[in-house]
Amino acid sequence: MTTLLWILVFLGTFAAMEGMAWFTHKYIMHGLLWKLHKDHHHKDHSHWWERNDLFFIFYALVSIGFFLLWRYEDVWIGLPIGLGILAYGITYFTVHDIFIHQRFKMFRNANNPYAKGIRRAHKMHHKHLGKDDGECFGMLFVPSKYFKK
């Protein structure tokens, strides 16, 4: 197993997680498990924790599962996959929860075109308070129209 293959699996996993996040967001969060995601669109609580955060925990457990597969079953691919999922989770938390939703007051003044486009796309997603008629379910890769002035 070469280092290049390890890096490709890691990067491929990270990229695939954006597709997985889009699919999960559109068809699971705005579908079957809307009850868990609903409080993210329409706050019905006064605390920091959202039921929606359970999705983050689910993917953390998947990542841990791959680490365990690598560690205890000696399956080499478990490590780069687990790290790819972890890296995407950290990126998601940083971009979505900290940068966009300001759950922690950081990155408030980020004003580059990419940051503006990501915020604009997410704002359009949240203009829909119900589970139907949503748009822009991605996080890192959003349609180019959100980057235009």
Side-chain angles (χ1 to χ4, degrees), residues 92-137:
Y92 186 94
F93 182 76
T94 303
V95 171
H96 181 263
D97 291 304
I98 296 176
F99 174 66
I100 294 173
H101 286 289
Q102 291 290 301
R103 285 175 97 175
F104 299 100
K105 307 303 179 200
M106 299 168 62
F107 309 121
R108 289 180 146 181
N109 299 324
N111 210 17
N112 65 61
Y114 179 73
K116 286 180 178 180
I118 295 294
R119 278 190 172 140
R120 195 173 293 125
H122 205 74
K123 184 174 185 173
M124 292 307 294
H125 176 74
H126 275 272
K127 84 176 189 178
H128 304 282
L129 297 179
K131 76 181 216 175
D132 299 319
D133 301 323
E135 61 184 284
C136 200
F137 293 93

Side-chain angles (χ1 to χ4, degrees), residues 53-102:
D53 295 330
L54 290 171
F55 294 105
F56 187 78
I57 291 172
F58 170 77
Y59 282 111
L61 292 173
V62 172
S63 179
I64 290 167
F66 279 103
F67 289 131
L68 294 174
L69 187 65
W70 164 73
R71 174 68 173 92
Y72 293 107
E73 300 298 325
D74 199 31
V75 177
W76 74 267
I77 202 167
L79 183 58
I81 290 174
L83 287 172
I85 295 169
L86 173 63
Y88 187 84
I90 291 167
T91 303
Y92 186 94
F93 182 76
T94 303
V95 171
H96 181 263
D97 291 304
I98 296 176
F99 174 66
I100 294 173
H101 286 289
Q102 291 290 301

